[in-house]
């Protein structure tokens, strides 16, 4: 079966790392590149982390640097969740490795032309790279077959009562993407992510992969750091936010990866979505036209994940990295 060309646009980020792990294990895709964007931590860290992860997972593809800041706003990063280096403070070396020459937006456009009508993109960070590509190359959206975005929040946010982190980091970029005319956009928002978690048993397996699994070191570090991350989230956002994080580990970007790999894991509703850019209390909010007043739709909103099938896909992906 011919693999589908895929580019992952991300801000690693511990959940981005698990997203790339899942996609790297999938026989559905040929990962043609990883493009790094500012977000959880600075571009310097997200690009270095992406470079390390592609090598660590054995994904033979170029890594490109993208935008180091949002188009207009400047918001807090999320090192309190992902660790100072963005990867649970896991220590690694990228000696002998380097990012590809050039910028993410030019690589995204070159790839869209090379794989016209076939290219899929999974975006799980702020959408600044995609927005720049669209503004620089107006035919970009028409060349992309499918775009899966982890972002937005149909109901409650995570970095504010109404805004999800990726959308809040660059709401203007979200507006550019949502109005660019992509023919197939799936939004995996926070509500969808919260319907697909990993239970304590699955978390224990992740924390203690066998030594012959070549990613056991990073997974053990991510799981050990989760205790710090959960405590920080509760400190920053309050007890209610973090009350069941130990019982239910929600890995947002991995949920988006699973939806990309197996769309049947979720249910969908076609809606018209925009992103608030100006409100002092609402910037980054996903604005969904639930009544259809606009008379049009622009995205397919994923929801109601099959948790057990998602977890099975996630745990099976880990086995891909076992060595004889
Ligand atoms: O809100 C969750 C999203 O924001 C994830 O993509 C996480 O990595 C951060 O980028
Ligand atoms: Ca991310």
């Amino acid at each position: 079966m011919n693999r589908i060309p895929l580019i992952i646009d991300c801000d690693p980020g511990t959940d981005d790392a698990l997203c790339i792990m899942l996609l790297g294990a999938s026989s559905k895709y040929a990962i043609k590149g990883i493009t790094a964007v500012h977000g959880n931590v600075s571009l310097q860290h997200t690009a270095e982390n992406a470079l390390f992860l592609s090598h660590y997972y054995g994904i033979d593809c170029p890594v490109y640097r993208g935008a180091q800041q949002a188009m207009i706003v400047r918001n807090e990063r999320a090192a309190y969740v992902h660790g100072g280096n963005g990867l649970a403070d896991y220590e690694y070396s990228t000696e002998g490795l380097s990012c590809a020459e050039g910028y993410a937006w030019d690589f995204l456009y070159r790839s869209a032309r090379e794989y016209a009508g076939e290219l899929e993109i999974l975006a799980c960070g702020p959408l600044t790279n995609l927005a720049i590509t669209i503004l620089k190359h107006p035919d970009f959206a028409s060349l992309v077959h499918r775009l899966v975005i982890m972002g937005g929040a149909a109901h409650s946010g995570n970095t504010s009562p109404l805004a999800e982190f990726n959308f809040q980091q660059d709401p203007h970029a979200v507006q550019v993407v949502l109005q660019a005319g992509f023919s197939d956009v799936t939004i995996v928002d926070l509500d969808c992510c919260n319907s697909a978690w990993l239970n304590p048993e699955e978390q224990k397996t992740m924390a203690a992969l066998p030594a012959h699994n070549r990613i056991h070191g990073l997974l053990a570090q991510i799981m050990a750091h989760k205790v710090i991350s959960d405590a920080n989230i509760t400190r920053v956002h309050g007890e209610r936010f973090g009350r069941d994080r130990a019982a239910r580990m929600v890995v947002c970007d991995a949920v988006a990866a699973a939806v990309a790999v197996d769309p049947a894991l979720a249910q969908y509703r076609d809606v018209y979505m925009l992103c608030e850019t100006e409100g002092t209390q609402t910037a980054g909010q996903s604005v969904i036209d639930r009544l259809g007043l606009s008379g049009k739709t622009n995205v397919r909103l994923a929801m109601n994940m099959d948790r057990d099938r998602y977890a099975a896909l996630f745990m099976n992906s880990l086995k891909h990295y076992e060595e004889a």
Side-chain angles (χ1 to χ4, degrees):
M1 175 182 78
N2 287 337
R3 290 178 175 232
I4 298 170
L6 174 76
I7 292 177
I8 306 167
D9 187 65
C10 54
D11 63 333
T14 49
D15 61 329
D16 305 69
L18 297 174
C19 165
I20 299 169
M21 178 283 294
L22 195 153
L23 292 168
S26 170
S27 60
K28 174 173 180 177
Y29 289 116
I31 299 175
K32 297 297 181 183
I34 299 176
T35 50
V37 67
H38 70 91
N40 286 314
V41 288
S42 68
L43 175 70
Q44 183 186 353
H45 280 306
T46 60
E48 194 71 2
N49 292 341
L51 185 62
F52 160 70
L53 291 166
S54 63
H55 179 69
Y56 189 67
Y57 291 145
I59 299 171
D60 181 15
C61 76
V63 174
Y64 284 85
R65 291 187 183 84
Q68 59 185 354
Q69 63 188 43
M71 298 170 86
I72 295 176
V73 299
R74 299 292 177 269
N75 284 317
E76 289 296 309
R77 304 252 179 247
Y80 70 99
V81 177
H82 299 274
N85 73 350
L87 216 46
D89 291 322
Y90 182 70
E91 290 184 12
Y92 63 81
S93 167
T94 53
E95 192 176 339
L97 304 174
S98 57
C99 286
E101 285 300 312
Y103 292 107
W105 38 88
D106 294 326
F107 170 70
L108 282 158
Y109 183 63
R110 271 202 314 276
S111 303
R113 287 178 62 93
E114 182 175 355
Y115 304 104
E118 291 179 79
L119 180 68
E120 296 194 12
I121 298 172
L122 183 122
C124 54
L127 297 180
T128 317
N129 287 346
L130 291 187
I132 293 171
T133 311
I134 293 161
L135 295 175
K136 192 172 177 185
H137 305 287
D139 61 335
F140 173 62
S142 67
L143 298 168
V144 174
H145 176 62
R146 180 181 179 222
L147 172 58
V148 178
I149 296 171
M150 191 280 128
H155 295 91
S156 303
N158 55 3
T159 45
S160 85
L162 292 170
E164 175 277 328
F165 181 85
N166 288 335
F167 275 28
Q168 190 194 48
Q169 281 289 308
D170 197 344
H172 299 86
V174 178
Q175 280 289 83
V176 169
V177 172
L178 292 179
Q179 299 182 78
F182 288 96
S183 59
D184 183 345
V185 181
T186 298
I187 297 283
V188 180
D189 79 332
L190 267 187
D191 297 86
C192 181
C193 293
N194 288 335
S195 68
W197 63 89
L198 299 172
N199 65 32
E201 199 55 42
E202 291 148 355
Q203 294 175 50
K204 261 192 289 191
T205 303
M206 289 170 68
L209 291 178
H212 67 271
N213 186 311
R214 73 166 184 273
I215 67 170
H216 78 279
L218 175 63
L219 271 291
Q221 177 75 12
I222 288 175
M223 295 311 291
H225 184 266
K226 185 177 176 303
V227 176
I228 300 168
S229 170
D230 287 354
N232 285 343
I233 289 169
T234 300
R235 173 175 54 78
V236 171
H237 297 288
E239 194 55 41
R240 277 186 50 75
F241 190 107
R243 67 177 179 283
D244 62 356
R245 297 180 69 83
R248 294 186 174 189
M249 179 182 180
V250 174
V251 189
C252 289
D253 294 345
V255 176
V259 169
V261 167
D262 183 0
L265 287 177
Q267 297 169 348
Y268 300 90
R269 182 176 171 208
D270 289 343
V271 296
Y272 189 64
M273 178 187 278
L274 294 173
C275 183
E276 174 57 65
T277 59
E278 304 306 325
T280 49
Q281 305 301 324
T282 56
Q285 179 184 8
S286 322
V287 181
I288 298 173
D289 172 14
R290 286 184 173 77
L291 297 179
L293 298 176
S294 60
K296 54 191 174 181
T297 64
N298 60 347
V299 301
R300 183 166 308 129
L301 188 62
M303 57 186 71
N304 304 330
M305 289 284 287
D306 181 325
R307 192 232 67 99
D308 291 345
R309 286 177 55 209
Y310 157 73
L313 172 61
F314 186 101
M315 301 311 285
N316 283 332
S317 299
L318 295 171
K319 293 178 183 158
H320 171 81
Y321 300 93
E322 289 186 359
E323 292 171 332

